[in-house]
Amino acid sequence: MLGADYEAIRLTLDEDAEGEVVATLVRRPCPGSRKAVLYIHGFVDYFFQTHLADFYVERGYSFYALDLRKYGRSLLDHQTPNFAHSMSDYFPEIDEAARLIRAENDTLLVNGHSTGGLVAALWADRVRGRGVVDGLFLNSPFLELNVPAGARRTLGPVVRALAMGRPKMAIPAGVSTAYVRSIHRDHDGEWDFDLAWKPAEGFGVRLGWLSAIIKAQRQVKAGLDIDVPVLVMASTTTVRGRNGDFSTGDGVLNADDIARWSTRLGRHVTCVRVENGLHDLVLSAAPVRAKVFDELERWLTAYL
């Protein structure tokens, strides 16, 4: 799909209640390098950002991207798209990806976006002290629900109770179609991606998944102890409402909440706010993503 520079490795995982489970590790090597980065995508997403791979390879990093179970290249016909009972469901494929990468590399950076940023943070906290990962770059990590504070206080217990009986029940909420339309080249954006794997309308938000997200976010708020340098980037602006200007800020999450909770990830956290940054900062307009890559390169040079 991505051309001759890339290969895909299928990871076979233990079956779950729906049956066969796989994940897909996409690889673009940097010959002679002993450094690597593992990219983990967000909700209703998969890896397609080849310009991100270009950035890393040009700086001497072999690039890997993981399409998690039930996402993108790993979604099987019998599965509920993007569903998980716990964010720890994804740890086995990250563990296996890290094992394969570490067999050939001395340095491993994990780059997580949105929900992938939340999962990456929890995973890095779990493997602290083992020398598995050397740094974490989180692009608009999903550290808080984008709903009013009062609603958050009541939402958690209600969702948890309902999810116990009907975990796969879809609720009337989800990723705004305006965001995907703002980035896809068939609409208002410049990027090409598979709308079957990243549809504008999403796949529905299910109670069990939302309950798992709320639980994971509580873990972050209680404080993680990630023992490697962490770079968190978020937009300076949150876009509200379906008629907002999605070219000027984060139209999915509350950027201020990301910055607020980033301090709970570990002892060595750098938080950078990006003016006019989109939710996926590397999909922002060219001048904005140039700033993103400049900040990332400066941090990589300083800490990795």
Side-chain angles (χ1 to χ4, degrees):
M1 294 178 62
L2 301 177
D5 291 338
Y6 294 85
E7 61 180 331
I9 305 164
R10 175 161 284 198
L11 308 179
T12 301
L13 306 165
D14 291 340
E15 291 188 0
D16 66 7
E18 293 185 325
E20 181 186 7
V21 177
V22 301
T24 309
L25 186 62
V26 176
R27 176 175 181 255
R28 180 180 168 188
C30 178
S33 173
R34 296 290 297 178
K35 300 186 296 183
V37 56
L38 174 63
Y39 174 79
I40 303 174
H41 59 78
F43 185 56
V44 193
D45 210 352
Y46 72 103
F47 171 66
F48 63 89
Q49 300 89 338
T50 54
H51 66 294
L52 179 63
D54 294 340
F55 168 86
Y56 282 115
V57 171
E58 288 166 5
R59 284 151 187 82
Y61 287 78
S62 290
F63 182 86
Y64 295 79
L66 190 59
D67 276 15
L68 300 167
R69 63 184 68 198
K70 306 184 184 184
Y71 283 88
R73 299 166 180 83
S74 308
L75 179 61
L76 305 178
D77 290 342
H78 62 273
Q79 294 177 324
T80 304
N82 303 181
F83 181 76
H85 291 281
S86 169
M87 294 301 102
S88 64
D89 288 355
Y90 303 117
F91 290 173
E93 51 256 53
I94 303 175
D95 286 341
E96 179 62 8
R99 184 189 69 81
L100 293 170
I101 295 168
R102 273 292 184 183
E104 300 178 352
N105 295 276
D106 301 320
T107 300
L108 173 59
L109 168 71
V110 175
N111 178 170
H113 166 56
S114 196
T115 303
L118 174 62
V119 172
L122 296 172
W123 176 82
D125 181 66
R126 170 178 161 268
V127 301
R128 67 181 180 271
R130 303 182 196 176
V132 178
V133 61
D134 299 284
L136 215 59
F137 166 41
L138 307 181
N139 167 1
S140 303
F142 191 11
L143 304 183
E144 181 66 280
L145 298 178
N146 190 10
V147 296
R152 285 199 296 268
R153 285 191 289 271
T154 59
L155 189 62
V158 172
V159 168
R160 187 162 58 250
L162 292 174
M164 292 178 65
R166 302 186 67 182
K168 293 183 182 177
M169 178 181 174
I171 59 176
V175 177
S176 170
T177 60
Y179 170 65
V180 172
R181 289 176 178 274
S182 74
I183 59 176
H184 197 278
R185 70 179 186 182
D186 288 350
H187 299 283
D188 300 321
E190 62 177 292
W191 306 103
D192 185 25
F193 49 85
D194 192 331
L195 289 170
W197 289 346
K198 186 178 174 63
E201 66 277 8
F203 292 110
V205 173
R206 300 180 186 275
L207 286 170
W209 178 87
L210 183 56
S211 179
I213 289 290
I214 293 171
K215 179 181 178 181
Q217 291 173 343
R218 284 205 309 268
Q219 291 177 256
V220 171
K221 294 171 189 177
L224 303 184
D225 192 22
I226 297 171
D227 60 353
V228 296
V230 180
L231 172 62
V232 175
M233 287 199 205
S235 181
T236 57
T237 305
T238 301
V239 178
R240 302 188 184 281
R242 295 183 180 276
N243 297 320
D245 185 353
F246 281 76
S247 68
T248 63
D250 192 329
V252 178
L253 300 181
N254 186 311
D256 290 338
D257 285 338
I258 295 171
R260 175 190 178 191
W261 294 114
S262 67
T263 58
R264 302 293 181 93
L265 295 172
R267 305 171 215 177
H268 189 149
V269 178
T270 303
C271 183
V272 175
R273 306 296 297 272
V274 181
E275 188 173 2
N276 293 322
L278 303 189
H279 176 56
D280 188 341
L281 292 163
V282 303
L283 302 184
S284 303
V288 179
R289 64 179 181 266
K291 294 178 184 177
V292 172
F293 287 136
D294 284 346
E295 292 286 356
L296 177 54
E297 183 167 26
R298 184 177 299 113
W299 181 85
L300 290 172
T301 301
Y303 297 114
L304 266 73

